[in-house]
Amino acid sequence: MATLRPFTSRDLEAILELSIRAWEPVFHSLEQVLGSKILRRMHPDWRADQRRTVKDACSSTDVSVWVADSDGDVVGFVGTRTDDEARLGEVYIVAVDPAHQRSGVGAALMELALEQLAYAGMTVAMVETGGDPGHAAARDLYEHVGFTLLPVARYFKAL
C-alpha cells in the first residue's frame, strides 16, 4: 500500500505526468459525449489545460495537497480547500495513476482528505465529477467513501 504524505515541490512533475495519464480516458469520454467541436472549443489543448489546473492547485495557498507514494514513486494525489464561513470542505482535485487504480490508493487519499477537512472544522464535504462514462470510476470511489449524489443537469451547445 502507498504511503500518504504532504505534497512537496519535488512531487510536482510526477503529479503533472500522472494527471495526464489519469485524465486521458476522461477527456476521450467527454469527446464522445460532447463531440469534438465542443470539447476542442472548451479545451483546445486539454493536456496543457490539465497541467495548468494541477500546477495551479499545487501552488495555491488555498489548496492543501497530499500525495500517495509507493516505493518513492508518486501514484496519486488529492487536494482540498475550505470555505470556513460555510464550514464546507471540498475535495478539489484527485487522481490516481491508472496502474494503481482500484488498488485502494484513491480510497486512502479520499479518507485522508475527509479527515483533514473534519480536523479543519468543516461539517460537510463535497466533491464534483462528471456523469459521463469516463468519470464512472470517480463516481464509484466517491460513493464508496460515503458521498451522496446530487444529480445536476449541465448542458452544452457549440456557438
Side-chain angles (χ1 to χ4, degrees), residues 73-93:
D73 293 326
V74 175
V75 298
F77 72 102
V78 64
T80 62
R81 58 186 179 184
T82 60
D83 178 338
D84 294 336
E85 189 173 318
R87 295 177 44 173
L88 175 67
E90 178 183 7
V91 178
Y92 175 65
I93 194 165

Side-chain angles (χ1 to χ4, degrees), residues 98-157:
H100 294 269
Q101 290 176 358
R102 306 239 183 233
S103 69
V105 171
L109 286 166
M110 290 297 294
E111 292 293 348
L112 173 64
L114 296 172
E115 289 170 11
Q116 294 295 322
L117 291 170
Y119 181 76
M122 302 302 106
T123 58
V124 174
M126 66 159 282
V127 63
E128 292 184 22
T129 194
D132 61 289
H135 285 95
R139 291 189 305 273
D140 289 347
L141 172 61
Y142 305 150
E143 291 173 18
H144 174 76
V145 297
F147 280 88
T148 300
L149 173 65
L150 171 65
V152 174
R154 182 180 284 177
Y155 294 88
F156 294 89
K157 178 175 175 40

Side-chain angles (χ1 to χ4, degrees), residues 28-134:
H28 177 72
S29 174
L30 289 173
E31 185 172 23
Q32 298 301 308
V33 172
L34 296 172
S36 298
K37 186 177 186 178
I38 291 176
L39 182 66
R40 285 194 175 82
R41 287 182 180 183
M42 294 171 62
H43 300 283
D45 182 348
W46 72 263
R47 287 172 183 85
D49 292 346
Q50 192 62 40
R51 287 179 66 90
R52 185 172 35 260
T53 297
V54 171
K55 190 173 184 178
D56 289 350
C58 289
S59 64
S60 173
T61 58
D62 294 330
V63 179
S64 298
V65 180
W66 296 272
V67 300
D69 183 307
S70 178
D71 296 323
D73 293 326
V74 175
V75 298
F77 72 102
V78 64
T80 62
R81 58 186 179 184
T82 60
D83 178 338
D84 294 336
E85 189 173 318
R87 295 177 44 173
L88 175 67
E90 178 183 7
V91 178
Y92 175 65
I93 194 165
V94 60
V96 175
D97 192 293
H100 294 269
Q101 290 176 358
R102 306 239 183 233
S103 69
V105 171
L109 286 166
M110 290 297 294
E111 292 293 348
L112 173 64
L114 296 172
E115 289 170 11
Q116 294 295 322
L117 291 170
Y119 181 76
M122 302 302 106
T123 58
V124 174
M126 66 159 282
V127 63
E128 292 184 22
T129 194
D132 61 289

